[in-house]
Amino acid sequence: MDEVIHAKLTYIIFENPVNHYMVGQFSDTDTYHIFTATGTMFEAKEDQVYTLTGNYTVHPRYGKQFQFIKAEHELPSSNEAIVRFLCSDTFPTIGKKTAESIVETLGEDCLMQIKEHPKNLHKVPKLTQKRIDILVEGIQSYDGFSKTYSELIAYGLEPAKISLLEQNYEDVLTTLKENCFRPYYEVYGFGYKSACKIADGMQVDAKDTKRQDAFIYETLRNLSMRSGNTYILASTLFAQFPQVNPQQIMDSLDHLVDMDVITQKEQKYYPFHLYEEEKAIADLLKAHQFKVDPVDQETLDQYIKEIEFANVIAYDPIQKEAINTFFKKSCMILNGGPGTGKTTIVKGILQMCKSIYPEAIIQCCAPTGRASKRLAQLSGCNSKTIHSLLKWNMEDNTFGYNEDNPLTADFLIVDEFSMVDTHLFANLLLALPSRCRILLIGDENQLESVGPGKVFQDIIAANVCPIVHLEKIYRQSYGSGIVELASQIRHNQTCQYQDGVQFIENYTNEILPTVLRIAHNYDADTLQVLAPKYSGAAGIDQINQAMQAIYNPKSVDKKEITIGATTFREKDKIMLLKNLADEEVYNGDMGTIVSIEKNKQDYCVSVDFGHCMVDFTMDLLYYLKHAYCISIHKSQGSEYPVVCCIVDQSATHMYNQRILYTAISRAKKELFIIGQKRLFENSIQIKQKHIRQTSLLDMLKK
């Protein structure tokens, strides 16, 4: 049962201005007991009395705390406190004499009288209407949050969502009564389900047009995210609801267009501002086709010879072409599969760039943390995630660097560019100085971005900037069979499983035992298992559980914690499934659990991500997952010494050339393909089951 405490806020220890989470020192008004309390409090003010509703907990680091789920202002009750209150900044122009006159005239319950019966203020001598208005407005605003909070909590809305509303709207309840779905369209982080809770609480009819409009918008967004399309055709929406009159759907689409929530071009409907972002990409890429200061060929040839000598390599003509193109053009694409020498070229470009332009600022980045780290290791240059480079704010989905506050950069190098979606690339281009030169590196045969768009493919198809395609395979060390197999898949040739590649024919129930036999020969940092789906006998969850028993078995020396059906243990290999920009860790980053602090009420799990240590409390633990086995999509942008790729008939519908090509190209030295060979070789003939619908290519060609 929740406990209620009346207490004065004596000192604010910590306050987050975005979500209004605070830690404060309080004094119980009855017992004068000093205690620490945490929770969401809008406009917390010291020396004010609050009614706190919640329970005591014990934090593993900070000890006993009162965690409140509700904090309501209390109006002062003593004459002295009332006078001080009425003289505060809440009531401008109200001085001590006026305050004393109010108390003397109306008594100790004067504040409640003003709150419930404002006309009583006319009894106070010499009180002007202007001051009456100031008093009434001040008390209403003072108490307004608690009213809003109480009502929205009753609808089932979480405190964090209420804080978002308070942050964005002056009069929350009035705004919601006009259209309770408005925050869904306008406030980042306030979703459809939250808006529906309010609608249900306010008893908004199922046939209400505002509810129907929101449902159509949610469907539009979901279709875009699932398909990767930047727009959805009206006919596609009609097909989703065959029992609904198409005109009814069109009416909702018209409403959404009128509200500027979506963009319409003919029968194409764009959510998420994707039309504007595709147009921005097209316009800015064209603007980046400018003449650069020439570097004469003789100088370039000399630098190339010096780099060849220093690195004991010999560039072939296509590699030299790539280097020369970079220094002669403002924008360039380097496209090639594994083993085709992309890294060797990039190393040479960076070395030459530092020599030719010693004062130039070079920014290197990649879409994921692991890809960024790999670029830094291979290039010897500092590298960041694109989100980190642009100083992404997770709270409101904005970027610190933008067209009004551009990056400082003379050259921009982006690796694993096939993973970059429309939204991210548009914002990256917007943040670039007009004379910044660009190098985009990727493999067009890998999986497309998780978010909508096929930016890399569209730019290549448009031929808007010079493209160097790398085909020749250079990697000749042990494991070269991996890059050979990748090339064979890419060119629809007969597959050869040799020199570091083994195909182990297994049926579903045989796959896990085979994986475990292989696991005994490698450590957890060397071996990475990739599978297409989470459930089933050969699924990610089952494999992770079994591999944990091998690599990190239960021990009295290791603390553990169970979340749902998953047990995390100290020394576990884990993956993060959420962007935490403040901690500079992102979705897909891997780490190791180094400690688990626990008690009956709370947990703190510390994870080492290599470049930083992050503490996860109970509310964030659901974003961690074991990483002995991960999905193929999550592996993109990373490389591992040894890879086990699962190809099982239970996931037949999930396989195609792109996903299998991506999986096998993650391996550097050894590759085990476990499953049904016939399924594998049939699947690599399937080019692509779905071609994403985008407008970028047409825009680039205009």
Side-chain angles (χ1 to χ4, degrees), residues 61-229:
R61 288 192 176 182
Y62 305 115
K64 190 175 181 181
Q65 298 178 338
F66 188 82
Q67 289 189 345
F68 57 85
I69 58 173
K70 187 176 179 181
E72 296 179 285
H73 294 129
E74 282 191 11
L75 292 170
S77 55
S78 69
N79 287 355
E80 185 180 345
I82 293 171
V83 170
R84 284 202 309 270
F85 174 64
L86 292 175
C87 294
S88 68
D89 293 339
T90 306
F91 307 95
T93 77
I94 305 298
K96 186 177 180 181
K97 286 186 179 180
T98 303
E100 289 173 343
S101 177
I102 293 170
V103 175
E104 185 179 342
T105 305
L106 300 180
E108 286 191 351
D109 67 339
C110 60
L111 297 181
M112 289 301 298
Q113 290 188 51
I114 298 170
K115 178 183 173 183
E116 296 175 1
H117 306 288
K119 291 182 179 180
N120 285 350
L121 282 169
H122 291 288
K123 299 176 182 178
V124 180
K126 300 180 181 179
L127 197 62
T128 64
Q129 186 60 48
K130 184 177 179 180
R131 288 186 172 183
I132 289 174
D133 293 340
I134 289 171
L135 287 161
V136 173
E137 185 180 344
I139 289 177
Q140 287 177 345
S141 67
Y142 179 83
D143 194 52
F145 178 71
S146 51
K147 284 183 179 179
T148 302
Y149 192 95
S150 300
E151 188 163 337
L152 295 181
I153 280 287
Y155 295 158
L157 213 61
E158 299 85 354
K161 303 298 184 184
I162 298 173
S163 293
L164 278 176
L165 295 177
E166 288 286 349
Q167 183 185 341
N168 283 274
Y169 302 109
E170 289 187 9
D171 189 338
V172 174
L173 292 178
T174 300
T175 300
L176 296 178
K177 285 171 184 175
E178 290 173 355
N179 183 359
C180 60
F181 290 97
R182 182 176 163 186
Y184 170 49
Y185 305 126
E186 298 178 348
V187 179
Y188 180 75
F190 196 92
Y192 176 70
K193 290 182 179 178
S194 296
C196 284
K197 286 181 180 178
I198 301 173
D200 292 340
M202 292 182 169
Q203 298 181 333
V204 178
D205 190 85
K207 295 181 179 179
D208 186 279
T209 56
K210 293 184 177 69
R211 188 188 278 269
Q212 292 177 352
D213 294 346
F215 178 69
I216 292 297
Y217 184 56
E218 177 71 1
T219 304
L220 199 70
R221 287 162 56 103
N222 287 338
L223 285 171
S224 178
M225 291 303 300
R226 286 203 306 268
S227 65
N229 298 340

